[in-house]
Amino acid sequence: MASSTIIEACNSRKRNRKPFVFETFAIEDSIDGFSGPFRDNIRMFLQEFANIEDYTLRGFPIWSTWLISNSTGAVFPLYTIEETTQLSLHPFCDHCKFSGWGHHYVSKRRYHLLIPANENWEKPLGSDSFEIDTHVLHGLLHCNGYGHLLSINSVNEDSNLLSGSDFMDLWDRLCTIFKTRKISVNDVSKKGGVDLRLLHGVAYGQSWFGKWGYKFGRGSYGVTEQKYEIAVQFLSSLGLDKILNDFRKDIPKRRKIKQIIGTYRELSEVPLITISELLQFMLAFKSKAPFHSKMKLANGDDYWCDPDKNRPISMETFVNLMSKNDCRWPARRLEFVLLVIVNFLKQNQADVGRNCGMTRQDLRNEARKFIGDTGLIDFVLKSIRCFALGNQIVRRSINPTTKLLEFTIREAAKEESMMGNKIIFRSPSTKRIKFAFEDIVEANRVENIELHLSIDQELKYLYETVFLSYPGSDSVSLATGVVLDSKKFVKEWKLEDQENQIMALRCKFLPSFDELETELTRPLSPGVVVFVPPWMTIGELKGVAQFALRDTYYIMQNFVVTQIGGLKGIKDEKMLYCAVDRDAHVWVRGCGLDLDTELRYEGGPIKLKVDCICGARDDDGERMVNCDACQVWFHTMCTGIHDHEEVPEIFLCESCRNF
């Protein structure tokens, strides 16, 4: 179906501006009819779920699909722009070239899926929409089913609205129902000066995009998948005690690292042995900080306080909740421990001061003088968040200075008075910030803001100290460099047979020997996917493959299929199920290639000759310099030219200089 046909179909039907629910849109089981290859599914999507706009972007048609979030109430557009490659200002694809797909034939169409930054949701798309990187979501999909995720961001205005993960979920669902084949992403994302591919790589053994199935695709500077995996494993296994020992000569750094490790070991209920375990815990702790008003018991039930207002529950209710949640201690013993804790908190308040709390360890040590069962003490301390005994309120919170858990006790009237007044604290940037709070919820929000800031600072400190300036070890530095040089990640969707016995076949063009020797010297381009019934004949498959190849690639717009792979001599009337296996690669031979077109390869008409000393043999997108004698390209970094330095007017590689 041509673009004009889709536009006519969209204009002829009634325009549906009713938004689709963001959280459930494009879930595979909720949308019917996407049973073909990508090039057909994207057309069906535009016809059934989008409306043509009354303006264009650089002459290319725009469709809009409006979405509404049930969780936030936000309403926003998902735009789809169909770019005809032949008419584009940039017909070749650098994203393909740097992903190792530069040998793909140029696709006839590519589709931009855009959700603009939230301040532009009610505005038309600008002429620079293809280039800017501030979109909430920007994906580029070639009509052969390969594509690239160019940007993914959270909503800038309010982090409580929709996160980058929410939009990644949408993108992944769309790619799945469209039946894309492979999607690449160039992971250069940072947060607070920290490269997330290194942080998440060490913490989880994969990039942030790995949560959606993206794996190592291609490294820069000759980095291979094997080198990447070894580097990640090495960094992840660094022991915390070893790190402290290796920093023993740098007292200030060792003291800070020890403080960070001690803080989170105190908070964790399981031992933290390696840097990977520490980072995992810190990231998980940070992600749960906004929900600081609850905790989970051993069986997963949530309680601490009233979930709506974060107000204390009575001690009687608290004891009943603990005793009814698979607790091995009777209620009377739980109540006794709480009374002991209350008495010690009162005594501490009288001796030290009304606003001073007790750390978990100090309170535990005092309680052990009266209670022999340390397991019982630990269970109760872990369960406390906020409860009331008479007019006294016991709370557990994190001390913003020491980052340790503390238990406090106050009279209810005094606590309400304190929460209603202005609270002043010093942020990590040392600026004094004033907050006026109406109730306890607002007070907890301050605690969460400060907690987030402190965790981000601690993560950055570990990142810069442990990974970027490890003392006396080149191994850590080299492994860190390998991970940072691994930016290209790829997800592949497996080709599966459809219902009703439909066969999924990949039809790939096989040039003649002369064409391979003289014209098509790069690796073979991926073919096209077709879904056909098993009772289709060989002759009919020729027609289907011919139409699909012509519809996909410029070089094949006049291509004529003459033979299906090695099936020469088999009559065209023979049915497929007798000659071809399901999920097969089918070689297609024929004639009529347009070898005169400039739109041959996505990587462009010129393929650089790369033979860098790092092992790179192809353009990986990093800065390069060309030897004026042998015309071979090298990374500037590998030849001693730093990024801030200009490339010399005349450059000779080492071999040519020594010739």
Side-chain angles (χ1 to χ4, degrees):
M1 185 184 294
S3 299
S4 59
T5 308
I6 302 175
I7 294 173
E8 290 172 3
C10 291
N11 286 331
S12 63
R13 64 185 173 84
K14 185 178 180 180
R15 293 172 65 86
N16 177 23
R17 285 292 186 180
K18 182 179 179 181
F20 299 95
V21 177
F22 170 75
E23 286 82 2
T24 59
F25 184 66
I27 291 179
E28 199 166 7
D29 295 336
S30 66
I31 295 182
D32 297 325
F34 290 88
S35 56
F38 171 81
R39 61 185 178 276
D40 294 336
N41 291 337
I42 188 70
R43 287 163 167 161
M44 177 173 287
F45 173 78
L46 295 178
Q47 184 173 341
E48 299 296 329
F49 297 94
N51 293 283
I52 189 72
E53 292 293 318
D54 55 7
Y55 68 102
T56 62
L57 179 56
R58 299 179 184 176
F60 302 120
I62 304 171
W63 286 265
S64 63
T65 303
W66 285 83
L67 304 172
I68 182 171
S69 170
N70 277 347
S71 61
T72 68
V75 179
F76 50 90
L78 167 65
Y79 291 111
T80 305
I81 304 99
E82 184 184 68
E83 183 182 11
T84 303
T85 310
Q86 190 175 31
L87 304 177
S88 174
L89 297 174
H90 307 284
F92 304 109
C93 182
D94 283 343
H95 307 294
C96 281
K97 178 168 64 175
F98 301 147
S99 298
W101 303 342
H103 61 284
H104 290 195
Y105 296 143
V106 174
S107 296
K108 286 188 170 183
R109 300 169 307 282
R110 51 198 183 199
Y111 299 88
H112 295 262
L113 274 67
L114 294 173
I115 297 178
N118 56 304
E119 61 267 21
N120 298 320
W121 285 351
E122 297 296 333
K123 302 176 183 178
L125 290 174
S127 59
D128 60 347
S129 293
F130 289 164
E131 288 79 29
I132 60 177
D133 59 1
T134 57
H135 298 303
V136 170
L137 170 66
H138 184 188
L140 173 64
L141 301 171
H142 298 279
C143 65
N144 67 349
Y146 287 74
H148 318 280
L149 177 58
L150 304 184
S151 66
I152 191 83
N153 295 291
S154 60
V155 175
N156 296 327
E157 191 173 88
D158 188 341
S159 60
N160 290 326
L161 284 177
L162 294 168
S163 67
S165 294
D166 295 323
F167 291 104
M168 269 302 298
D169 288 339
L170 173 66
W171 169 252
D172 197 60
R173 297 197 302 267
L174 289 169
C175 290
T176 300
I177 66 164
F178 289 159
K179 292 184 173 59
T180 54
R181 299 169 70 178
K182 287 185 180 181
I183 299 294
S184 74
V185 61
N186 188 40
D187 185 3
V188 292
S189 53
K190 288 189 175 185
K191 188 169 184 179
V194 175
D195 290 280
L196 295 185
R197 64 186 180 280
L198 176 59
L199 182 66
H200 284 261
V202 176
Y204 305 111
Q206 60 185 16
S207 75
W208 181 77
F209 296 95
K211 293 185 289 185
W212 292 272
Y214 287 79
K215 300 179 180 179
F216 178 92
R218 196 186 196 203
S220 299
Y221 301 105
V223 172
T224 63
E225 184 174 7
Q226 183 181 26
K227 290 180 180 178
Y228 172 75
E229 291 177 349
I230 292 174
V232 168
Q233 185 177 6
F234 171 75
L235 293 175
S236 300
S237 62
L238 284 174
L240 298 178
D241 293 336
K242 172 179 168 52
I243 292 172
L244 290 174
N245 183 63
D246 290 344
F247 275 89
R248 63 188 179 278
K249 294 182 180 180
D250 194 330
I251 303 301
K253 289 183 179 179
R254 185 182 187 277
R255 184 183 298 115
K256 178 64 176 177
I257 295 172
K258 185 177 181 180
Q259 178 189 355
I260 295 173
I261 293 173
T263 296
Y264 294 100
R265 276 179 166 171
E266 172 72 16
L267 294 172
S268 176
E269 295 181 2
V270 297
L272 301 179
I273 307 299
T274 65
I275 188 69
S276 174
E277 294 169 350
L278 174 63
L279 294 177
Q280 282 187 50
F281 184 81
M282 292 175 71
L283 291 168
F285 194 77
K286 175 186 171 184
S287 67
K288 294 175 182 178
F291 307 100
H292 195 54
S293 60
K294 6 180 222 187
M295 78 177 272
K296 289 189 179 293
L297 288 178
N299 69 344
D301 290 334
D302 292 326
Y303 72 90
W304 271 1
C305 49
D306 180 270
D308 295 325
K309 297 296 183 181
N310 197 22
R311 291 170 180 160
I313 58 177
S314 68
M315 191 178 82
E316 181 181 358
T317 302
F318 183 34
V319 170
N320 289 336
L321 284 171
M322 286 192 291
S323 63
K324 291 178 180 177
N325 281 278
D326 196 25
C327 173
R328 69 174 186 265
W329 294 281
R332 58 180 176 80
R333 295 197 66 192
L334 298 172
E335 184 175 358
F336 176 72
V337 176
L338 288 174
L339 291 173
V340 169
I341 289 172
V342 168
N343 286 332
F344 277 119
L345 289 174
K346 287 181 178 180
Q347 181 179 340
N348 178 74
Q349 185 183 56
D351 295 341
V352 181
R354 64 177 185 175
N355 293 326
C356 294
M358 295 183 69
T359 66
R360 176 184 176 279
Q361 189 61 46
D362 290 342
L363 196 54
R364 183 178 188 268
N365 291 339
E366 292 296 330
R368 286 185 63 185
K369 296 176 181 179
F370 294 87
I371 304 166
D373 190 343
T374 55
L376 171 59
I377 299 172
D378 290 338
F379 175 78
V380 174
L381 290 174
K382 180 181 70 173
S383 303
I384 293 174
R385 175 61 180 94
C386 175
F387 73 90
L389 177 59
N391 67 338
Q392 302 284 336
I393 295 177
V394 175
R395 283 189 179 276
R396 189 182 83 168
S397 60
I398 294 179
N399 185 306
T401 302
T402 65
K403 307 299 187 298
L404 298 178
L405 288 174
E406 281 191 353
F407 296 79
T408 58
I409 188 168
R410 293 188 181 92
E411 292 182 9
K414 292 182 179 180
E415 175 165 284
E416 291 175 5
S417 175
M418 184 195 71
M419 292 302 179
N421 293 331
K422 290 183 177 180
I423 298 175
I424 301 175
F425 70 92
R426 187 174 294 275
S427 72
S429 62
T430 73
K431 295 179 180 178
R432 299 188 69 81
I433 305 173
K434 295 183 179 181
F435 288 88
F437 300 99
E438 300 297 331
D439 53 28
I440 296 172
V441 175
E442 291 299 318
N444 281 340
R445 188 176 299 173
V446 172
E447 181 180 315
N448 293 330
I449 291 171
E450 188 171 66
L451 180 59
H452 270 302
L453 290 173
S454 65
I455 295 177
D456 283 338
Q457 285 190 323
E458 289 165 343
L459 286 170
K460 185 177 182 181
Y461 187 85
L462 291 175
Y463 171 86
E464 293 177 342
T465 307
V466 176
F467 300 126
L468 302 186
S469 57
Y470 201 91
S473 174
D474 291 335
S475 299
V476 174
S477 177
L478 290 172
T480 297
V482 167
V483 177
L484 290 177
D485 289 337
S486 303
K487 306 170 186 175
K488 308 291 191 306
F489 296 88
V490 175
K491 178 173 181 177
E492 180 176 6
W493 279 259
K494 292 184 178 180
L495 186 62
E496 298 178 351
D497 289 338
Q498 304 300 295
E499 297 179 357
N500 303 323
Q501 300 182 326
I502 298 298
M503 300 173 66
L505 303 178
R506 280 164 284 215
C507 300
K508 191 171 185 177
F509 169 59
L510 181 62
S512 66
F513 179 78
D514 289 339
E515 289 170 333
L516 289 172
E517 284 289 310
T518 60
E519 296 287 348
L520 305 177
T521 56
R522 302 186 193 183
L524 294 179
S525 176
V528 293
V529 175
V530 297
F531 293 96
V532 294
W535 51 85
M536 176 177 281
T537 65
I538 298 297
E540 290 171 332
L541 177 60
K542 289 181 181 178
V544 171
Q546 177 177 294
F547 177 83
L549 289 166
R550 288 184 174 188
D551 185 44
T552 304
Y553 299 120
Y554 276 112
I555 195 174
M556 310 190 82
Q557 58 186 350
N558 296 314
F559 184 69
V560 177
V561 175
T562 59
Q563 182 182 340
I564 298 293
L567 302 182
K568 188 175 182 180
I570 298 180
K571 294 181 179 181
D572 285 352
E573 292 77 19
K574 196 173 187 65
M575 291 188 179
L576 285 180
Y577 71 88
C578 299
V580 177
D581 293 331
R582 288 181 173 275
D583 193 24
H585 286 269
V586 178
W587 292 104
V588 175
R589 294 180 180 272
C591 58
L593 286 181
D594 184 5
L595 297 176
D596 295 326
T597 182
E598 294 183 356
L599 301 178
R600 183 180 297 186
Y601 292 115
E602 291 284 6
I606 300 175
K607 187 178 188 299
L608 301 183
K609 182 181 179 181
V610 180
D611 190 12
C612 190
I613 57 177
C614 67
R617 299 295 178 265
D618 204 355
D619 190 354
D620 54 15
E622 304 296 342
R623 188 169 178 242
M624 305 189 86
V625 61
N626 177 234
C627 177
D628 291 287
C630 64
Q631 299 302 306
V632 175
W633 289 81
F634 302 84
H635 292 118
T636 54
M637 189 67 70
C638 297
T639 57
I641 303 172
H642 296 289
D643 288 341
H644 64 273
E645 296 178 329
E646 293 289 337
V647 174
E649 292 185 7
I650 298 177
F651 171 78
L652 295 177
C653 67
E654 186 175 358
S655 297
C656 292
R657 287 199 302 268
N658 298 330
F659 184 69

